[in-house]
Amino acid sequence: MPEQTTGPRPTLEAVAARVGVSRATASRVVNGGAGVRPPLVEKVRRAVDELGYVPNHAARTLVTRRNGAVAVIIAEPEFRIFSDPFFEQQVRGISRELTAHDAQLVLLWVEGPGDHDRIARYLGGGHVDGALAFSLHNDDALPAVIDRTRIPVVYGGRPAPGTSPAVPFVDCDNRGGAREAVRHLVDLGRRNIAHISGPDDQTSALDRLHGYRDVLVDADPTLLSRGDFTEESGARAMAELLDRRPDVDAVFVANDLMASGALLTLRERGVRVPEDVAVVGFDDMASVVRRTSPSLTTVHQDIEDMGRLMVKLLMRLLDGTGPVPPASVITPTSLVLRDSA
Amino acid sequence: MPEQTTGPRPTLEAVAARVGVSRATASRVVNGGAGVRPPLVEKVRRAVDELGYVPNHAARTLVTRRNGAVAVIIAEPEFRIFSDPFFEQQVRGISRELTAHDAQLVLLWVEGPGDHDRIARYLGGGHVDGALAFSLHNDDALPAVIDRTRIPVVYGGRPAPGTSPAVPFVDCDNRGGAREAVRHLVDLGRRNIAHISGPDDQTSALDRLHGYRDVLVDADPTLLSRGDFTEESGARAMAELLDRRPDVDAVFVANDLMASGALLTLRERGVRVPEDVAVVGFDDMASVVRRTSPSLTTVHQDIEDMGRLMVKLLMRLLDGTGPVPPASVITPTSLVLRDSA
DNA sequence: GTTCGTTCTGGGAGCGCTCTCAGAGGGTGG
DNA sequence: CCACCCTCTGAGAGCGCTCCCAGAACGAAC
């Protein structure tokens, strides 16, 4: 129980004085106690407890040039990115890993280009050791802004090809996962396998499309339809597909939400799943997968783990450990078989 | 365009040297320029731009004892509190207002009592000037932990009666809003007005129940049913109500999500809304209200504004402006008439 | 021309910490 | 018993900034 419950917070000086050692020794104990004799360590530790000493963060940062904080940059274009379950999981992973590294999460919410200046100033001002950002749209100017601050950064999701070459990122194996999904449909004996893709300004959507094409090299363009990752767009894309190609017998959908929409359309039209049309999604998003009927076969990715990996990568960057330019991480995906395919 | 694009960041000293003034004068300019002759101000400003000088946050904090950061404490009991649209709006309001005050948002994610120690240490360590927290469950030990750090804090939502007396909070007028909703149903000529309440360990649920009772002082207990703020629980509660009191002709539901569930049950049973049973919700949550059929009459509260108010209150606390003990804010609600009542 | 007042500027201390470097202390071997 | 080495500790500088206070500069009033 700290005895000094009021007044100014005790300093390291106070701790040292109480024990009768120098500030340097007290500092050593507070920072792990290496090179200090055990009995002294014990005495200092006790003094710390008794006084309720907590290191002054600003003073420490001033000399170490490290402040134990990482910015998470959340750009909100038109959507409610924050309440997206995908995001929630990723941020949870980030938060947990950051805690494990004794680092703090500073949330930087970017609402538009008007905020870029503020963000640049903040990142450049040394408030944080590094930053985590997410690649959302290929035409976003934000990556360039972040890059200019020369602060270490790790992206969630592969950035657009145009951006600076050595930006480390963490992404799941979108292309490989897509391949596996499509191959599964091929193995099922399906002949006319369609694809509902996501917006073409997002690398994840593009990569999944590429995966589809890897397997079905000369797929007919009429088997392709585009959505925008929303449920409604999936329903619409499925309807178009059905109109254009009534002989379609399978569809690989670029995410679960659109797959859910596609399933709705199929049911409406009296098409049986998986008997008439097999459906495979992507993401394995619990909230969606659970409530579709039939339950959705989909490509699983461990989103929380991707968040953790982002932090690990950043920490390695900050430590100076790890390769330069830093390597990115592609996490594996796995096909989860349920009833829809 | 800063000319020093590499190497160590320029210090105030460098700026001063470039202009040929003292560090003190340069500091004055950087902090507003009061008491410095205009031409000198101009020269220093230019030097700041040319060198790309950004004040060192740690050094500034060390002497001012203010660090321009506020913790937002998010406790996650069993639910996905993060992806709750309610939360998103509130945090958005907080973020915007914080930005307006040039303050940063540090996210503290509490996953359980095991984190309390860490949180207490962080808050007590002077990393942040103040904190914002949300009152979730009355039995939560977190408020006590926060209180013990003696850090200024403002709550979102009225804390449980048991907690320390002078905790400032921002909450909407749950009770008044409920009264208005129920009065509307009375004015519609409804006789058997039921209430589906929320969990009784949350003050918002309790307050709304009180509002209902304020108007219907001797309402029959059989007209009361309890849910847990989820859609499913609303559906279930409505079913119970219908079984118990087939003569029910109106229901005030403690939140929109449960109201949506209730509407589902009513439709299933072939009960017409609003002809047979009028329904009023609470929250005016865009994502819910939009998709119910019929569209939901509900009590509106400005959640984003509540977030902003939390920050304003905290800032006043930090400035030493404002009353002591600090006053809480109850924001007004308004009934939004749509088709369900 | 002297004195007083007002406005501006600079010197310097100090915020609380880390870290280098030198030296104290104590053990070991010859 | 002395020289030497290794381990542990303390003195002190310095991180970049703010702010107090003394003093410079200049004008106005006598």
Side-chain angles (χ1 to χ4, degrees):
Chain A
M1 178 65 83
E3 69 185 25
Q4 180 151 7
T5 50
T6 180
R9 278 171 41 204
T11 67
L12 195 54
E13 188 79 54
V15 174
R18 189 186 182 89
V19 183
V21 295
S22 74
R23 215 172 48 241
T25 299
S27 172
R28 276 187 275 262
V29 172
V30 170
N31 291 293
V36 180
R37 267 196 323 249
L40 246 193
V41 169
E42 194 40 52
K43 277 170 81 176
V44 174
R45 290 247 163 85
R46 198 157 39 233
V48 165
D49 281 352
E50 287 167 359
L51 293 174
Y53 168 76
V54 182
N56 181 307
H57 181 242
R60 183 176 271 178
T61 298
L62 186 57
V63 35
T64 59
R65 271 110 209 304
R66 270 278 227 142
N67 50 31
V70 168
V72 170
I73 303 170
I74 295 194
E76 190 183 53
E78 61 271 28
F79 279 106
R80 358 160 292 187
I81 215 76
F82 196 52
S83 65
D84 184 335
F86 186 92
F87 242 76
E88 181 187 22
Q89 281 182 63
Q90 202 147 12
V91 174
R92 178 183 297 143
I94 289 171
S95 172
R96 286 188 173 150
E97 189 64 28
L98 241 23
T99 299
H101 283 267
D102 244 336
Q104 283 311 316
L105 191 170
V106 177
L107 199 65
L108 256 37
W109 197 314
V110 186
E111 301 208 44
D115 286 348
H116 288 183
D117 234 43
R118 194 187 100 239
I119 299 296
R121 210 154 359 119
Y122 188 75
L123 294 179
H127 293 69
V128 292
D129 296 330
L132 300 173
F134 303 92
S135 74
L136 301 166
H137 294 281
N138 288 0
D139 57 348
D140 198 345
L142 193 57
V145 172
I146 298 171
D147 189 54
R148 231 172 286 133
T149 65
R150 293 156 171 273
I151 202 176
V153 59
V154 172
Y155 278 86
R158 187 167 71 81
T163 50
S164 36
V167 178
F169 64 88
V170 174
D171 203 352
C172 78
D173 186 7
N174 285 305
R175 193 163 181 165
R179 274 198 294 261
E180 194 182 357
V182 177
R183 265 196 221 109
H184 173 67
L185 293 170
V186 171
D187 291 349
L188 249 34
R190 307 292 166 146
R191 314 295 305 167
N192 302 311
I193 303 173
H195 177 49
I196 298 177
S197 62
D200 63 355
D201 63 345
Q202 296 186 32
T203 53
S204 61
L206 251 30
D207 289 350
R208 291 168 195 182
L209 173 60
H210 286 320
Y212 167 81
R213 286 201 172 123
D214 285 345
V215 179
L216 268 24
V217 180
D218 33 39
D220 195 288
T222 56
L223 285 169
L224 281 177
S225 191
R226 171 160 297 139
D228 61 8
F229 278 159
T230 63
E231 186 160 19
E232 300 77 48
S233 77
R236 208 177 324 113
M238 189 69 238
E240 285 170 25
L241 232 32
L242 248 21
D243 291 344
R244 208 188 301 143
R245 293 287 303 255
D247 60 337
V248 64
D249 59 4
V251 52
F252 164 55
V253 192
N255 77 338
D256 287 349
L257 225 45
M258 289 199 298
S260 167
L263 248 23
L264 252 40
T265 297
L266 289 167
R267 176 144 42 141
E268 252 170 34
R269 304 254 182 134
V271 180
R272 291 171 308 160
V273 177
E275 293 81 355
D276 302 331
V277 173
V279 176
V280 178
F282 205 116
D283 286 344
D284 197 22
M285 198 165 286
S287 57
V288 176
V289 159
R290 210 181 286 151
R291 58 154 225 261
T292 61
S293 88
S295 63
L296 190 66
T297 288
T298 189
V299 180
H300 173 84
Q301 53 173 327
D302 190 340
I303 302 171
E304 182 179 328
D305 194 49
M306 287 167 66
R308 305 188 88 116
L309 282 169
M310 288 174 71
V311 174
K312 282 180 184 158
L313 216 59
L314 183 63
M315 290 301 165
R316 224 166 299 149
L317 236 61
L318 296 176
D319 290 350
T321 345
V324 177
S328 294
V329 177
I330 306 286
T331 62
T333 58
S334 59
L335 190 64
V336 180
L337 298 177
R338 295 204 183 83
D339 299 332
S340 71
Chain B
M1 177 67 81
E3 68 183 26
Q4 178 149 11
T5 49
T6 181
R9 279 171 41 204
T11 68
L12 195 54
E13 189 78 55
V15 174
R18 189 186 182 90
V19 182
V21 296
S22 74
R23 214 173 47 241
T25 299
S27 172
R28 274 186 276 261
V29 172
V30 170
N31 291 292
V36 180
R37 264 196 325 249
L40 247 193
V41 170
E42 194 41 49
K43 278 170 79 175
V44 173
R45 290 248 163 86
R46 198 157 38 231
V48 165
D49 281 353
E50 285 167 0
L51 292 174
Y53 169 76
V54 181
N56 180 306
H57 181 242
R60 184 176 270 177
T61 297
L62 186 56
V63 34
T64 59
R65 269 112 211 305
R66 272 279 226 138
N67 49 30
V70 168
V72 170
I73 303 170
I74 295 193
E76 190 182 52
E78 62 271 29
F79 278 108
R80 1 159 290 185
I81 215 76
F82 196 52
S83 66
D84 185 335
F86 186 93
F87 242 76
E88 181 187 20
Q89 282 183 61
Q90 203 148 12
V91 174
R92 177 183 296 142
I94 288 171
S95 172
R96 285 187 173 152
E97 189 65 28
L98 241 24
T99 299
H101 283 268
D102 244 335
Q104 283 311 318
L105 191 170
V106 176
L107 199 66
L108 256 37
W109 196 315
V110 186
E111 302 209 44
D115 285 350
H116 288 181
D117 234 44
R118 194 186 101 239
I119 298 295
R121 212 156 358 126
Y122 187 76
L123 295 179
H127 294 69
V128 291
D129 295 331
L132 299 174
F134 303 92
S135 75
L136 301 166
H137 293 281
N138 288 0
D139 58 348
D140 198 346
L142 193 57
V145 172
I146 298 171
D147 189 55
R148 230 171 287 134
T149 65
R150 294 157 171 273
I151 202 176
V153 59
V154 172
Y155 278 86
R158 187 167 71 81
T163 50
S164 35
V167 178
F169 64 89
V170 174
D171 203 352
C172 77
D173 186 7
N174 285 306
R175 192 162 182 166
R179 273 199 295 260
E180 194 182 357
V182 177
R183 266 197 220 106
H184 173 67
L185 293 171
V186 171
D187 291 349
L188 248 35
R190 306 292 165 145
R191 315 295 306 168
N192 302 313
I193 303 173
H195 176 50
I196 297 177
S197 61
D200 62 355
D201 64 345
Q202 296 187 32
T203 54
S204 62
L206 252 30
D207 288 350
R208 291 167 196 182
L209 173 60
H210 286 321
Y212 167 81
R213 285 201 173 125
D214 286 345
V215 179
L216 267 24
V217 182
D218 32 39
D220 195 287
T222 56
L223 286 169
L224 281 178
S225 192
R226 170 161 297 139
D228 61 8
F229 277 158
T230 63
E231 186 161 18
E232 299 76 49
S233 76
R236 209 177 324 112
M238 189 69 236
E240 285 170 25
L241 232 31
L242 248 22
D243 292 342
R244 208 187 302 143
R245 293 286 303 255
D247 59 337
V248 64
D249 58 5
V251 52
F252 164 55
V253 193
N255 76 338
D256 287 350
L257 225 45
M258 289 199 297
S260 167
L263 247 26
L264 252 39
T265 297
L266 289 166
R267 178 145 40 141
E268 251 170 37
R269 303 251 182 139
V271 180
R272 292 170 308 162
V273 177
E275 294 81 354
D276 302 331
V277 173
V279 177
V280 178
F282 205 116
D283 286 346
D284 197 22
M285 197 165 287
S287 57
V288 177
V289 160
R290 211 181 288 150
R291 59 154 225 259
T292 61
S293 87
S295 63
L296 190 65
T297 289
T298 190
V299 179
H300 173 83
Q301 52 172 329
D302 191 339
I303 302 171
E304 183 179 327
D305 194 50
M306 287 166 66
R308 304 188 90 115
L309 281 169
M310 286 174 72
V311 174
K312 283 179 184 157
L313 216 59
L314 183 63
M315 289 300 166
R316 226 166 296 150
L317 234 61
L318 295 176
D319 289 351
T321 344
V324 176
S328 293
V329 177
I330 306 286
T331 63
T333 58
S334 59
L335 189 64
V336 180
L337 298 178
R338 296 203 183 84
D339 298 333
S340 71

